[in-house]
Amino acid sequence: MLLDSKIPEGPLAEKWDKHKFNVKLVNPANKRKYDVIVVGTGLAGGAAAASLAELGYNVKAFTYHDSPRRAHSIAAQGGINAAKNYQNDGDSVFRLFYDTIKGGDYRAREANVYRLAQVSVNIIDQCVAQGVPFAREYGGLLANRSFGGAQVSRTFYARGQTGQQLLLGAYSALSRQIAYGKVKMYTRSEMLDVVIVDGQARGIVTRNLVNGEIETHAAHAVVLATGGYGNVFYLSTNAKYCNVTAAWRAHKKGAFFANPCFTQIHPTCIPVSGDYQSKLTLMSESLRNDGRVWVPKTVEMAERVRKGQIKPQDIAEDDRDYFLERKYPAFGNLVPRDVASRNAKMMCDENRGVGSTGLAVYLDFSDIIKRTGAEAVSQKYGNLFDMYAKITDENPYEMPMRIYPAVHYTMGGLWVDYNLQTTVPGLYATGECNFSDHGANRLGASALMQGLADGYFVIPYTIGDYLANTPPKPVDTNHPAFAESKAYVQARTEQLLGIKGNRTPDEFHKALGHIMWEYCGMARTAEGLKHAKAEIQRLRKEFWSDVKVVGTGEEMNQALEKAGRVADFLELGELMVDDAYNRNESCGGHFREEYQTPEGEALRDDENYAYVAAWEYQGDNQPEKLNKEELVFENVKLTQRSYK
Amino acid sequence: MAGSNPNAKPMNLTLKVWRQPNRQAQGQIVEYHVKDISPDMSFLEMLDVLNEDLLHAGQDPVAFDHDCREGICGSCDLFINGRSHGPEKGTTTCQLHMRKFSDGDTITIEPWRANAFPVNKDLSVDRSAFDRIIQAGGYVSVNTGGAPDGNEIPIPKEIADRAFEAATCIGCGACVAACKNASAMLFVSAKVSQLALLPQGNVERKTRVENMVAQMDKEGFGACTNIGSCAAECPVGISLENIAILNREFLAAKATSNNLA
């Protein structure tokens, strides 16, 4: 299949405006004749559902949470980027575009990223108007801070809870439309299939998580805003419910899956403390503004720290290696996430890691505390320091934090064109569940930006273009395709309940996570990936003969929910490994050990791999087909990323 | 793998857990025993251990709500030893760690108890009443697009900070569970205060407080008798001052109301 990205003609800066003029419109009186399903109510989904309802469409919104306010967007800490240039420090739409393309190691689509940078300024205005309490200066104007991968201060924030405040803004807009009756909200409903009628997405199948009922819902178009798949690693900074199921079912119904191996490992997370660990907690990247990352200079010294013979505070300045400042003097502790993560791993590989496991580096605030006082530091990062103290039982005001990289975000996702439409007509993907804007590495404070850009400012235009070409006839669930999808979902539920094996869904999930982290994590090799593929296939076989779920499908059954999600992760995991194996280069978060510069930096192969790998499902147990979208760079010059 | 504290000894605990198959069924307290619990585990990781044990024994695991496990999503909602989110002040259940308990302890775990929060199953309750209160007016009526530049509305830092403090409510329902009247005043007051403090919320100030309070009453939450246990048990420290603001806003709105309905 030929992948048409539908990038509009014309100069970069004019594409979006021209496109907005060229897309077809649905007249105001006709909008109420169209139904749109939005799955997921995080930043992308909540913003899309509210905005589409405001335009007049009938929206049905779905979330597996008990309330649309709980989506994992809420946990984003640091901030949201926007090219406002309020700081007069040289920011512009082009610079945000450029930083994002470069930060993504030249594996993102220029036109999408430019549009993202353009609408970033509207997002801030919209959120302020909603009453989002952004941080402000004493003069009453909005405050900014800097973030990794950029040399300007363009990040807007609400203390360490930016995601929460932005999500509550979108939630309030959504709540208003629910009250007006323009959005019908379905909570505790998990999407388990997309229904395709005559080649077009026309509805979904859901399971009511309270009573187990399998329901069908019809619409003229379906928007997925179902987040990322980082939980394929079991341990990640994602919330426990985050999963790939909705996106994966869409994939099996014809939506291509792009760059699945592009996962982001976040450098500053609280290290694993035991086998019981259920998730990892992020310490916001904003901490790298003031915290200094270091390990002991020598292995001997590190050894003594690990054994608890000396405390980090007692190590003399001369015996510390501030490795990011040493290797990257220009960006220092603010290098992009992939670079910071990889360097932390290198230090631990050199046996200079700290903590009882040796899998940690220090993030030290003693300088800034000395300079500005503990009170000022608490003003900026208080809630993060408290969270750290609660989890580790250590006081970060007195001793440096221990941090280690952890899986955080997935740049890969459903392939979409410029209109955010997948390869299935009428099926759209927004926010983290699509692949479009971050290339091989996402910059900090850009996930919130993309989710809200897609939801508030892109999908309301582009979906109209599709609907204008769709007759406004009422849709219903009588078509046999709905019954077929429902039967498939029911059969799968019965199958999971019927195995009655010996191992729990969590045990399988942990085993999968271990394989993925070991072989498809921060560093990958062809040999390791081959091994991982065989291991995952073996594990999947075992899953379908030995998973244990009790109870029935007609009740609240959280083990059954987990089993279904793990089953999909087992299939996705194999595709990620295939994708990583196929990409014989290193770029961004994808680091193949075979391909590195003499200094150990990622070595891209632009001649052969400047493309999006879009995988096409071919049926159960069949190898997927690779389709390529060539990436054309007309406005930036591809260079080896340098943060030195 | 050792925990962060190498000297911490694993614990054995007795759990008394509320079990209720569904909303209609009668519930009861059931006793369980868990072994080798690390003090570095979170409370929910301890429940994960219980659930894995139950599943292996062919028994129904305990249903409970949770998600981010970082104390921000507001999903987790356990009533532990008679207190919302357990014994540690300013902490959600997911951020409560087992080092706050001792070997041999008996821990009682119940769902939020309030008429307005019916039980779904075991420890999971239905908090959609909170959503309906927000739907009644907890927003600024502004459509997407057409907003003025963010810096056109300067807001004094002090006001912005106070609005932020009120806006940090995570909607978990601990305040309702802690209140002997099962009142939702702290929750409602947090949103009313946030928007009353900000210029953006000024236009709909009166109708907002009237409608949200009316919806709160309709949902069957109790009245506020100024005990203050809501604020004492709030995991994110929403201040009782917000209830005073709510009362003032409500009185002012009623005294000058344009709302004739």
Side-chain angles (χ1 to χ4, degrees), chain A residues 287-292 317 325 333 364-377 380-381 397:
Chain A
L287 291 170
R288 282 198 279 143
N289 271 315
D290 291 309
R292 300 178 67 197
E317 203 59 27
E325 296 172 25
N333 293 296
D364 198 328
F365 296 90
S366 51
D367 278 4
I368 177 89
I369 290 173
K370 241 179 263 160
R371 209 163 60 232
T372 66
E375 180 56 34
V377 172
K380 250 174 155 171
Y381 307 118
Y397 292 99

mmCIF file of all heavy atoms in Angstrom, chain A residues 287-292 317 325 333 364-377 380-381 397:
data_model
loop_
_atom_site.group_PDB
_atom_site.id
_atom_site.type_symbol
_atom_site.label_atom_id
_atom_site.label_comp_id
_atom_site.label_asym_id
_atom_site.label_seq_id
_atom_site.Cartn_x
_atom_site.Cartn_y
_atom_site.Cartn_z
ATOM 1 N N LEU A 287 13.760 19.231 37.274
ATOM 2 C CA LEU A 287 14.751 19.161 38.349
ATOM 3 C C LEU A 287 16.170 19.296 37.806
ATOM 4 O O LEU A 287 17.084 19.714 38.518
ATOM 5 C CB LEU A 287 14.629 17.835 39.104
ATOM 6 C CG LEU A 287 13.360 17.642 39.947
ATOM 7 C CD1 LEU A 287 13.261 16.217 40.436
ATOM 8 C CD2 LEU A 287 13.349 18.600 41.121
ATOM 9 N N ARG A 288 16.338 18.938 36.521
ATOM 10 C CA ARG A 288 17.687 19.040 35.940
ATOM 11 C C ARG A 288 18.082 20.499 35.687
ATOM 12 O O ARG A 288 19.219 20.786 35.345
ATOM 13 C CB ARG A 288 17.782 18.219 34.650
ATOM 14 C CG ARG A 288 17.932 16.725 34.911
ATOM 15 C CD ARG A 288 18.449 15.996 33.675
ATOM 16 N NE ARG A 288 17.411 15.710 32.713
ATOM 17 C CZ ARG A 288 17.580 15.771 31.397
ATOM 18 N NH1 ARG A 288 18.736 16.168 30.887
ATOM 19 N NH2 ARG A 288 16.594 15.453 30.583
ATOM 20 N N ASN A 289 17.122 21.438 35.821
ATOM 21 C CA ASN A 289 17.472 22.858 35.764
ATOM 22 C C ASN A 289 18.431 23.225 36.887
ATOM 23 O O ASN A 289 19.319 24.048 36.724
ATOM 24 C CB ASN A 289 16.216 23.715 35.934
ATOM 25 C CG ASN A 289 15.547 23.993 34.613
ATOM 26 O OD1 ASN A 289 16.206 24.331 33.656
ATOM 27 N ND2 ASN A 289 14.244 23.820 34.565
ATOM 28 N N ASP A 290 18.183 22.651 38.048
ATOM 29 C CA ASP A 290 18.935 23.052 39.229
ATOM 30 C C ASP A 290 19.699 21.906 39.869
ATOM 31 O O ASP A 290 20.598 22.131 40.673
ATOM 32 C CB ASP A 290 17.977 23.655 40.272
ATOM 33 C CG ASP A 290 17.427 24.989 39.808
ATOM 34 O OD1 ASP A 290 18.230 25.844 39.408
ATOM 35 O OD2 ASP A 290 16.195 25.165 39.821
ATOM 36 N N GLY A 291 19.328 20.687 39.560
ATOM 37 C CA GLY A 291 20.022 19.535 40.130
ATOM 38 C C GLY A 291 21.211 19.177 39.257
ATOM 39 O O GLY A 291 21.184 19.339 38.039
ATOM 40 N N ARG A 292 22.290 18.719 39.883
ATOM 41 C CA ARG A 292 23.479 18.335 39.115
ATOM 42 C C ARG A 292 23.673 16.822 39.211
ATOM 43 O O ARG A 292 23.613 16.244 40.294
ATOM 44 C CB ARG A 292 24.709 19.076 39.650
ATOM 45 C CG ARG A 292 24.583 20.598 39.554
ATOM 46 C CD ARG A 292 25.786 21.290 40.139
ATOM 47 N NE ARG A 292 27.005 21.055 39.362
ATOM 48 C CZ ARG A 292 28.234 21.275 39.829
ATOM 49 N NH1 ARG A 292 28.405 21.721 41.072
ATOM 50 N NH2 ARG A 292 29.291 21.049 39.086
ATOM 51 N N GLU A 317 34.370 17.318 46.414
ATOM 52 C CA GLU A 317 34.064 17.831 45.090
ATOM 53 C C GLU A 317 34.977 17.210 44.020
ATOM 54 O O GLU A 317 34.524 16.842 42.940
ATOM 55 C CB GLU A 317 34.216 19.362 45.137
ATOM 56 C CG GLU A 317 33.461 20.135 44.087
ATOM 57 C CD GLU A 317 31.949 19.933 44.102
ATOM 58 O OE1 GLU A 317 31.374 19.629 45.163
ATOM 59 O OE2 GLU A 317 31.361 20.047 43.014
ATOM 60 N N GLU A 325 27.887 17.484 32.624
ATOM 61 C CA GLU A 325 28.548 18.786 32.472
ATOM 62 C C GLU A 325 29.915 18.617 31.808
ATOM 63 O O GLU A 325 30.352 19.453 31.022
ATOM 64 C CB GLU A 325 28.712 19.455 33.843
ATOM 65 C CG GLU A 325 27.380 19.774 34.498
ATOM 66 C CD GLU A 325 27.520 20.254 35.942
ATOM 67 O OE1 GLU A 325 28.577 20.776 36.305
ATOM 68 O OE2 GLU A 325 26.544 20.079 36.706
ATOM 69 N N ASN A 333 23.545 19.623 32.188
ATOM 70 C CA ASN A 333 22.531 18.714 32.731
ATOM 71 C C ASN A 333 21.227 18.764 31.946
ATOM 72 O O ASN A 333 20.319 17.989 32.206
ATOM 73 C CB ASN A 333 22.276 19.046 34.205
ATOM 74 C CG ASN A 333 23.494 18.737 35.061
ATOM 75 O OD1 ASN A 333 23.902 17.584 35.170
ATOM 76 N ND2 ASN A 333 24.105 19.773 35.630
ATOM 77 N N ASP A 364 21.847 16.037 42.454
ATOM 78 C CA ASP A 364 22.272 16.730 43.669
ATOM 79 C C ASP A 364 21.793 18.183 43.684
ATOM 80 O O ASP A 364 22.020 18.926 42.733
ATOM 81 C CB ASP A 364 23.805 16.699 43.728
ATOM 82 C CG ASP A 364 24.335 16.975 45.111
ATOM 83 O OD1 ASP A 364 23.687 17.744 45.840
ATOM 84 O OD2 ASP A 364 25.400 16.409 45.449
ATOM 85 N N PHE A 365 21.144 18.583 44.770
ATOM 86 C CA PHE A 365 20.614 19.950 44.866
ATOM 87 C C PHE A 365 21.380 20.811 45.862
ATOM 88 O O PHE A 365 20.953 21.906 46.178
ATOM 89 C CB PHE A 365 19.134 19.902 45.249
ATOM 90 C CG PHE A 365 18.302 19.251 44.199
ATOM 91 C CD1 PHE A 365 18.077 17.878 44.216
ATOM 92 C CD2 PHE A 365 17.788 19.991 43.148
ATOM 93 C CE1 PHE A 365 17.346 17.277 43.216
ATOM 94 C CE2 PHE A 365 17.060 19.389 42.155
ATOM 95 C CZ PHE A 365 16.836 18.023 42.182
ATOM 96 N N SER A 366 22.507 20.301 46.366
ATOM 97 C CA SER A 366 23.170 21.037 47.446
ATOM 98 C C SER A 366 23.631 22.430 46.991
ATOM 99 O O SER A 366 23.555 23.385 47.755
ATOM 100 C CB SER A 366 24.333 20.227 48.016
ATOM 101 O OG SER A 366 25.164 19.783 46.980
ATOM 102 N N ASP A 367 24.050 22.560 45.718
ATOM 103 C CA ASP A 367 24.496 23.870 45.234
ATOM 104 C C ASP A 367 23.369 24.901 45.259
ATOM 105 O O ASP A 367 23.538 26.005 45.767
ATOM 106 C CB ASP A 367 25.023 23.762 43.791
ATOM 107 C CG ASP A 367 26.467 23.269 43.784
ATOM 108 O OD1 ASP A 367 26.975 22.966 44.885
ATOM 109 O OD2 ASP A 367 27.046 23.183 42.685
ATOM 110 N N ILE A 368 22.237 24.517 44.690
ATOM 111 C CA ILE A 368 21.133 25.480 44.618
ATOM 112 C C ILE A 368 20.574 25.769 46.010
ATOM 113 O O ILE A 368 20.179 26.897 46.313
ATOM 114 C CB ILE A 368 20.018 24.995 43.642
ATOM 115 C CG1 ILE A 368 18.809 25.949 43.616
ATOM 116 C CG2 ILE A 368 19.508 23.635 43.992
ATOM 117 C CD1 ILE A 368 18.944 27.028 42.613
ATOM 118 N N ILE A 369 20.597 24.775 46.888
ATOM 119 C CA ILE A 369 20.120 25.007 48.254
ATOM 120 C C ILE A 369 21.051 25.990 48.960
ATOM 121 O O ILE A 369 20.613 26.901 49.656
ATOM 122 C CB ILE A 369 19.992 23.678 49.033
ATOM 123 C CG1 ILE A 369 18.818 22.863 48.466
ATOM 124 C CG2 ILE A 369 19.784 23.932 50.530
ATOM 125 C CD1 ILE A 369 18.677 21.464 49.016
ATOM 126 N N LYS A 370 22.350 25.826 48.728
ATOM 127 C CA LYS A 370 23.325 26.750 49.314
ATOM 128 C C LYS A 370 23.116 28.166 48.762
ATOM 129 O O LYS A 370 23.189 29.157 49.465
ATOM 130 C CB LYS A 370 24.752 26.273 48.986
ATOM 131 C CG LYS A 370 25.580 25.942 50.248
ATOM 132 C CD LYS A 370 26.967 25.452 49.879
ATOM 133 C CE LYS A 370 27.058 23.939 49.879
ATOM 134 N NZ LYS A 370 28.182 23.406 49.103
ATOM 135 N N ARG A 371 22.846 28.217 47.448
ATOM 136 C CA ARG A 371 22.758 29.502 46.772
ATOM 137 C C ARG A 371 21.476 30.259 47.122
ATOM 138 O O ARG A 371 21.482 31.444 47.368
ATOM 139 C CB ARG A 371 22.846 29.288 45.264
ATOM 140 C CG ARG A 371 23.446 30.433 44.500
ATOM 141 C CD ARG A 371 23.892 30.018 43.098
ATOM 142 N NE ARG A 371 22.793 29.519 42.295
ATOM 143 C CZ ARG A 371 22.810 28.348 41.650
ATOM 144 N NH1 ARG A 371 23.857 27.560 41.736
ATOM 145 N NH2 ARG A 371 21.787 27.981 40.930
ATOM 146 N N THR A 372 20.349 29.552 47.141
ATOM 147 C CA THR A 372 19.066 30.264 47.291
ATOM 148 C C THR A 372 18.305 29.880 48.554
ATOM 149 O O THR A 372 17.274 30.471 48.847
ATOM 150 C CB THR A 372 18.145 29.980 46.085
ATOM 151 O OG1 THR A 372 17.796 28.594 46.122
ATOM 152 C CG2 THR A 372 18.836 30.302 44.777
ATOM 153 N N GLY A 373 18.759 28.861 49.262
ATOM 154 C CA GLY A 373 18.066 28.444 50.475
ATOM 155 C C GLY A 373 17.045 27.348 50.201
ATOM 156 O O GLY A 373 16.499 27.244 49.097
ATOM 157 N N ALA A 374 16.792 26.547 51.222
ATOM 158 C CA ALA A 374 15.873 25.410 51.079
ATOM 159 C C ALA A 374 14.456 25.888 50.777
ATOM 160 O O ALA A 374 13.708 25.239 50.045
ATOM 161 C CB ALA A 374 15.890 24.561 52.350
ATOM 162 N N GLU A 375 14.080 27.044 51.326
ATOM 163 C CA GLU A 375 12.724 27.564 51.143
ATOM 164 C C GLU A 375 12.438 27.823 49.652
ATOM 165 O O GLU A 375 11.391 27.419 49.130
ATOM 166 C CB GLU A 375 12.577 28.850 51.973
ATOM 167 C CG GLU A 375 11.226 29.527 51.895
ATOM 168 C CD GLU A 375 10.068 28.625 52.285
ATOM 169 O OE1 GLU A 375 10.263 27.767 53.175
ATOM 170 O OE2 GLU A 375 8.987 28.759 51.671
ATOM 171 N N ALA A 376 13.389 28.461 48.988
ATOM 172 C CA ALA A 376 13.193 28.769 47.567
ATOM 173 C C ALA A 376 13.108 27.487 46.741
ATOM 174 O O ALA A 376 12.323 27.386 45.790
ATOM 175 C CB ALA A 376 14.338 29.646 47.065
ATOM 176 N N VAL A 377 13.918 26.507 47.109
ATOM 177 C CA VAL A 377 13.891 25.239 46.392
ATOM 178 C C VAL A 377 12.549 24.544 46.608
ATOM 179 O O VAL A 377 11.957 23.964 45.693
ATOM 180 C CB VAL A 377 15.071 24.347 46.845
ATOM 181 C CG1 VAL A 377 14.963 22.950 46.253
ATOM 182 C CG2 VAL A 377 16.390 24.991 46.432
ATOM 183 N N LYS A 380 9.791 25.810 44.439
ATOM 184 C CA LYS A 380 9.851 25.348 43.049
ATOM 185 C C LYS A 380 9.503 23.871 42.911
ATOM 186 O O LYS A 380 8.809 23.462 42.003
ATOM 187 C CB LYS A 380 11.277 25.560 42.524
ATOM 188 C CG LYS A 380 11.413 26.645 41.479
ATOM 189 C CD LYS A 380 12.882 26.837 41.168
ATOM 190 C CE LYS A 380 13.120 27.407 39.794
ATOM 191 N NZ LYS A 380 14.552 27.763 39.638
ATOM 192 N N TYR A 381 10.040 23.066 43.817
ATOM 193 C CA TYR A 381 9.974 21.614 43.616
ATOM 194 C C TYR A 381 9.380 20.872 44.812
ATOM 195 O O TYR A 381 9.525 19.658 44.920
ATOM 196 C CB TYR A 381 11.381 21.056 43.381
ATOM 197 C CG TYR A 381 12.164 21.727 42.281
ATOM 198 C CD1 TYR A 381 13.354 22.390 42.539
ATOM 199 C CD2 TYR A 381 11.716 21.660 40.963
ATOM 200 C CE1 TYR A 381 14.078 22.990 41.528
ATOM 201 C CE2 TYR A 381 12.433 22.255 39.945
ATOM 202 C CZ TYR A 381 13.616 22.920 40.225
ATOM 203 O OH TYR A 381 14.326 23.507 39.226
ATOM 204 N N TYR A 397 16.604 17.152 50.682
ATOM 205 C CA TYR A 397 17.202 18.438 51.058
ATOM 206 C C TYR A 397 18.562 18.218 51.716
ATOM 207 O O TYR A 397 19.386 19.100 51.766
ATOM 208 C CB TYR A 397 16.297 19.205 52.024
ATOM 209 C CG TYR A 397 15.006 19.682 51.410
ATOM 210 C CD1 TYR A 397 13.828 18.970 51.586
ATOM 211 C CD2 TYR A 397 14.964 20.842 50.642
ATOM 212 C CE1 TYR A 397 12.633 19.396 51.015
ATOM 213 C CE2 TYR A 397 13.779 21.284 50.073
ATOM 214 C CZ TYR A 397 12.613 20.555 50.264
ATOM 215 O OH TYR A 397 11.431 20.981 49.695
#
